[in-house]
Amino acid sequence: MTSESKAKIAIAGGGLLGRLLAWRLCQYDVNITLFEAGKLSVPQGACWTAAGMISPLSELVHSEKQVYTQGLQSLDLWSDWSRKLELQGGRAVGFRRAGSVLVAHGKDRSELLQFLRELQGKLGESAREQVQVLDTEALRDLEPALHSFEQGLYLRGEADINNHRLLPLLLDVLRLQGVQLRELTRVNCEPWCISFPGGEEHFDCVIDCRGLGAKDQIKGLRGVRGEVMVVESREVVLQRPVRLLHPRYKLYAVPRSDGRTVIGATEIESEDLSPISVRSSMELSSALYSLNPAFAEARIVETRVNCRPATMNNNPYIHNEEGLIRVNGLYRHGYLLAPAMVQQVENQVAQQRLLVF
Amino acid sequence: MSDLLNFYGKTFNSRLLVGTALYPSPAIMRESVKASCSEIITLSLRRQNPAQQQDNVFWDYVRESGCQLLPNTAGCRSSREAVELAKMSQEIFQTDWLKLEVIGDDYNLQPDPFGLVDAARELVQLGFKVLPYCTDDLVLCRKLLDVGCEVLMPWGAPIGTGQGLLNKYSLQTLRERLSDVPLIIDAGIGAPSQAAEALEMGFDAVLLNTAIAKAQEPVLMAQAFKLAVESGRAAFNAGLMLRRQTASPSTPTLDMPFWQQAESMLRE
C-alpha cells in the first residue's frame, strides 16, 4: 500500500459473494471496484435462482461438518448484517428466523428417522436439543397448511432471507458508498491484475468471486444444475421454509411475503442451462401438491434454472496468495455460507496489510 | 487359486460393482469406489441432457477412475427410450457395455419384463454388451439369454429399499437352473451381510449404490462391502455346511446314551 493513496481493491463477480464482500470492505478506507460480466440489475448467478435458505441443520445430513459450523456463524452474521443493511438501504431484506419444518408422508416415515439418526451421528446428543419432534397437533399449530401430516420435525434455529430483496438492496448500498461498478465487463483475475478484452488494470489486491466464470482458473470446479419454480397461491400460506422428505424426490418450499412460494430444487450433475425439464417440473409440482392438495390451484408464475459452482468435495474453496484471493464453490450453500466466507476473506485482506479503519 | 469373473470375455477380480450416484460429493464417491476395489462402475446419463454438453467435469472425473464404465438407462420407461439413451451413452463414454433398465412401475421401480426383452434384443443386434436389470423370474431370464444377453442382473429387492434377498426361493431356482450363466444381484442390497449371503448362494457378484453412498461414512461402508463380498465368495468356494435341526457337537458327547444319539441322527 502506498502512503499517498488509498489501497485499490478489485472484486470480480457481482453475485452474492462479490456484493457482500464489497459492502463489508466499504467500512475500511479503501477504493473498491466491482467487475461484473453481466448486468448488476439482473443477477445471472445461482444467487438469484436460489430460495435463500439458511439452514445449517437440514443441510448437515448431506455435507461435512464444516458447512454446519460455518452455517451457524453465518446465521449470526446475517441477523447482524441484515439489520445494518436495512438501516443503510432504507428497506427490508426479508431476513426471517422462524425455523424450518421437515415432514414426510406416513409411508416414508423412515425418512424422518433416518434424518434424525444422521444428525445424531454427526452432532452427537446435542442434535436432540436442536430438533423438536412434532405430532399432528403441534404441527398443525405451527404450520396450519400442513394439516394432513402425522408428524414432522421443527428446526427452530434455521432462517431464510429474501434474496430478491437483498441483492438489489446491496447494489443500492454499494452505489451509495461509492463503490465503482463496472458492468458488462468479463475479466480474468491474476495477482494484482484484472485483465479484460482490450486492456488490464492494476490493483493492490484482486478478489475473484466469479463462480463458474472462474472455471478455467480453478481445477475441478463444476456446475451442478438446479431448477426451481415459483408458485402463487392465496389458499395455502406457509409460515416458514418447509422440506418434504421422500426416498426419491426432495422438495423445499419457501414462502415469500408476497404470497409466492419458491419450490425447489433439483440437483443434476450437469452444466446445462436449458429450461426446466418436464420431469423436474412434475416432480416439484407433485411433491408440492402432496404438501397440501390446495396447491393444485396455485399458479406457476416463474421457473428458474442455474448451475451452482461446486468443487469436487462440495466444500467451499478459498485460495490466498499475495495480491489475489479466490473464493468459490459455495455449491448449494450460498446463503448458508456467504457471510462466514466473506469474513474469512476480510481477514485475509487484512493480513495483506491493506485494511486500515 | 484363480477365481476370476468373466463377463463378455473380460475378466475381473472384484465381485462388487458399485454405482456413482447419491454420494455427498464426487470426491467421496471416488474414494469410496477405490475402497470398494470395484472394477466396474455404473453411471447414469438420464436427466443430464448429454446433447447440450461438450464437457462435463463430473463425467471426466468418473472416467479417471480407470474402471470399466457401465452406463445405465436408469429412468427409462420404454424400450425406445432405453435404446436411444444407450446409443448416446455409447458415444459419450466410448463403451458398448450397458446396464439395461426399463422401468415398468414408478413406485417401486420394478423392471418391465416385456420392454426389457425388446430393448435387449435390439441392443444386442447393435453390438452392445447388455447386462439387463431384471426380476427374479426364471422364464424372463431365459428369454433374455435367448436374445443374446450373456450376463443377467436379477434384483434382490426393489431399488433403494435395502431389503436384501426378498425371494430366496426363486433366486435359488435361478442359480440352480442357470448354473453356467454369470448372475449379478442388482438392487435391494442394504447390508454387507446381505451381499455376503448372495455370494454364499453362488451368485457371481453384487451391484449396489445406495447402501454405500447414503451411509454416514461411505468410504468405510465401501470397505465393509468389499470384505463381505470376498467373505461370501470364499464361503461359497469352501462349501457351506448344511443346516441341521439339532445341535451336533464336533466332539462326541460321552455322557449321551448311544440310542439317543441314533435317534437324533435319524431326525435329521
Side-chain angles (χ1 to χ4, degrees):
Chain A
M1 190 180 135
T2 53
S3 55
E4 65 269 20
S5 67
K6 292 180 185 179
K8 283 174 67 190
I9 294 178
I11 297 172
L16 172 64
L17 270 180
R19 285 176 201 219
L20 210 51
L21 187 59
W23 174 66
R24 287 295 301 168
L25 294 180
C26 282
Q27 61 184 309
Y28 305 97
D29 192 22
V30 287
N31 266 321
I32 303 163
T33 310
L34 178 66
F35 292 90
E36 163 60 37
K39 289 197 70 173
L40 285 162
S41 55
V42 194
Q44 291 172 331
C47 61
W48 192 250
T49 317
M53 280 183 294
I54 308 158
S55 41
L57 278 173
S58 310
E59 289 298 321
L60 178 60
V61 295
H62 25 80
S63 46
E64 289 184 24
K65 202 159 173 192
Q66 173 195 351
V67 170
Y68 168 75
T69 43
Q70 289 186 325
L72 288 184
Q73 274 173 37
S74 296
L75 258 176
D76 290 340
L77 290 171
W78 272 128
S79 56
D80 177 31
W81 291 3
S82 57
R83 225 178 9 247
K84 287 183 178 148
L85 273 167
E86 286 174 347
L87 278 174
Q88 289 177 19
R91 53 182 204 271
V93 296
F95 175 74
R96 168 175 55 192
R97 199 162 185 176
S100 60
V101 165
L102 272 63
V103 288
H105 291 287
K107 231 193 285 188
D108 309 321
R109 186 177 298 175
S110 63
E111 298 293 315
L112 289 174
L113 285 174
Q114 177 80 14
F115 177 88
L116 279 176
R117 198 198 287 180
E118 283 177 31
L119 220 52
Q120 262 171 344
K122 285 187 169 162
L123 294 180
E125 281 311 300
S126 76
R128 272 180 202 280
E129 298 152 22
Q130 305 187 58
V131 183
Q132 185 188 336
V133 178
L134 305 170
D135 58 15
T136 318
E137 240 168 86
L139 184 59
R140 203 175 39 219
D141 290 346
L142 201 62
E143 275 300 338
L146 301 178
H147 49 78
S148 63
F149 287 87
E150 281 164 26
Q151 55 181 338
L153 303 174
Y154 180 39
L155 314 181
R156 193 187 302 274
E158 299 197 330
D160 67 301
I161 194 161
N162 188 335
N163 49 338
H164 284 214
R165 290 189 177 178
L166 172 74
L167 293 168
L169 184 118
L170 267 168
L171 182 59
D172 291 349
V173 172
L174 294 183
R175 281 207 181 95
L176 283 175
Q177 305 262 4
V179 171
Q180 290 185 54
L181 304 173
R182 303 266 290 271
E183 299 179 275
L184 300 169
T185 313
R186 191 172 291 281
V187 301
N188 245 326
C189 298
E190 302 296 334
W192 299 290
C193 179
I194 287 272
S195 60
F196 37 83
E200 56 177 46
E201 240 171 84
H202 292 268
F203 294 87
D204 295 300
C205 184
V206 169
I207 306 171
D208 181 358
C209 310
R210 290 174 297 158
L212 283 173
K215 207 178 155 193
D216 292 339
Q217 272 84 49
I218 300 174
K219 193 180 175 294
L221 193 69
R222 74 191 203 286
V224 181
R225 176 176 160 100
E227 299 149 303
V228 306
M229 302 204 303
V230 183
V231 301
E232 202 172 79
S233 168
R234 292 207 184 135
E235 282 177 77
V236 200
V237 181
L238 299 170
Q239 306 297 319
R240 54 179 62 69
V242 169
R243 289 177 192 244
L244 174 71
L245 303 184
H246 181 275
R248 260 173 282 142
Y249 315 127
K250 307 269 181 276
L251 176 94
Y252 61 70
V254 180
R256 296 280 201 234
S257 51
D258 54 5
R260 295 185 170 192
T261 305
V262 183
I263 62 172
T266 56
E267 193 157 342
I268 298 167
E269 279 294 346
S270 167
E271 270 173 40
D272 166 18
L273 289 168
S274 61
I276 188 169
S277 70
V278 171
R279 176 192 298 233
S280 296
S281 71
M282 287 199 309
E283 284 180 6
L284 293 175
S285 306
S286 62
L288 182 71
Y289 174 78
S290 79
L291 281 185
N292 186 329
F295 265 124
E297 281 307 315
R299 296 295 184 262
I300 301 172
V301 291
E302 194 187 347
T303 64
R304 298 198 284 260
V305 172
N306 221 320
C307 288
R308 316 161 173 101
T311 62
M312 282 300 171
N313 58 21
N314 288 346
N315 288 332
Y317 172 90
I318 192 158
H319 164 91
N320 179 10
E321 64 182 286
E322 281 293 310
L324 176 69
I325 297 168
R326 296 192 205 270
V327 210
N328 215 313
L330 266 57
Y331 181 41
R332 48 183 282 149
H333 303 128
Y335 291 87
L336 180 62
L337 297 181
M341 297 304 288
V342 162
Q343 211 174 43
Q344 222 171 312
V345 175
E346 235 180 286
N347 291 336
Q348 292 179 350
V349 179
Q351 276 165 21
Q352 299 198 4
R353 294 180 305 279
L354 297 170
L355 300 186
V356 190
F357 273 106
Chain B
M1 186 182 82
S2 137
D3 184 30
L4 294 176
L5 266 180
N6 188 330
F7 297 152
Y8 287 103
K10 212 171 156 181
T11 55
F12 301 92
N13 284 299
S14 166
R15 291 175 181 272
L16 177 58
L17 290 73
V18 296
T20 54
L22 304 175
Y23 285 89
S25 73
I28 293 176
M29 179 270 290
R30 192 146 88 177
E31 232 181 295
S32 305
V33 169
K34 213 166 147 195
S36 74
C37 292
S38 293
E39 295 162 289
I40 305 174
I41 57 179
T42 70
L43 75 171
S44 163
L45 264 188
R46 195 80 188 146
R47 306 192 76 158
Q48 305 192 355
N49 202 1
Q52 282 272 325
Q53 303 173 69
Q54 289 79 38
D55 64 330
N56 180 313
V57 181
F58 179 73
W59 294 341
D60 292 341
Y61 197 70
V62 173
R63 280 190 199 104
E64 284 166 20
S65 69
C67 295
Q68 167 71 52
L69 297 185
L70 186 59
N72 66 51
T73 59
C76 289
R77 286 169 176 74
S78 72
S79 58
R80 183 95 329 265
E81 250 181 287
V83 169
E84 287 313 312
L85 189 61
K87 288 180 189 163
M88 225 167 337
S89 303
Q90 182 183 34
E91 205 173 297
I92 288 172
F93 298 112
Q94 295 295 305
T95 177
D96 47 11
W97 285 52
L98 182 78
K99 171 180 163 178
L100 179 61
E101 277 184 50
V102 181
I103 297 304
D105 182 88
D106 271 347
Y107 207 83
N108 63 358
L109 300 177
Q110 179 158 347
D112 165 9
F114 309 99
L116 192 63
V117 174
D118 287 345
R121 181 186 295 116
E122 192 173 341
L123 289 165
V124 168
Q125 277 166 6
L126 289 169
F128 279 90
K129 298 182 167 64
V130 178
L131 292 85
Y133 164 59
C134 54
T135 57
D136 48 26
D137 185 274
L138 174 64
V139 181
L140 166 63
C141 287
R142 280 223 195 94
K143 301 262 183 212
L144 288 166
L145 294 172
D146 289 346
V147 299
C149 296
E150 291 181 22
V151 181
L152 303 180
M153 306 210 288
W155 67 357
I159 297 174
T161 58
Q163 298 270 356
L165 310 179
L166 277 186
N167 191 342
K168 279 181 219 164
Y169 173 77
S170 58
L171 288 172
Q172 193 67 59
T173 309
L174 273 188
R175 184 63 291 178
E176 283 164 13
R177 299 290 295 279
L178 308 175
S179 57
D180 54 352
V181 177
L183 297 177
I184 303 169
I185 296 292
D186 180 4
I189 302 278
S193 53
Q194 297 161 352
E197 187 178 21
L199 273 292
E200 286 167 7
M201 286 171 74
F203 286 96
D204 296 272
V206 292
L207 192 165
L208 55 109
N209 188 174
T210 313
I212 295 179
K214 289 296 209 184
Q216 284 181 31
E217 301 283 347
V219 180
L220 187 57
M221 189 58 89
Q223 213 180 339
F225 271 102
K226 169 193 176 274
L227 295 172
V229 165
E230 285 172 2
S231 165
R233 180 63 183 179
F236 172 74
N237 284 336
L240 290 164
M241 64 173 279
L242 293 175
R243 288 182 192 219
R244 289 203 176 97
Q245 287 304 322
T246 51
S248 146
S250 25
T251 46
T253 14
L254 288 174
D255 55 350
M256 190 188 268
F258 173 72
W259 56 266
Q260 253 181 12
Q261 283 189 27
E263 211 173 52
S264 73
M265 280 163 80
L266 278 175
R267 270 204 300 270
E268 277 174 30

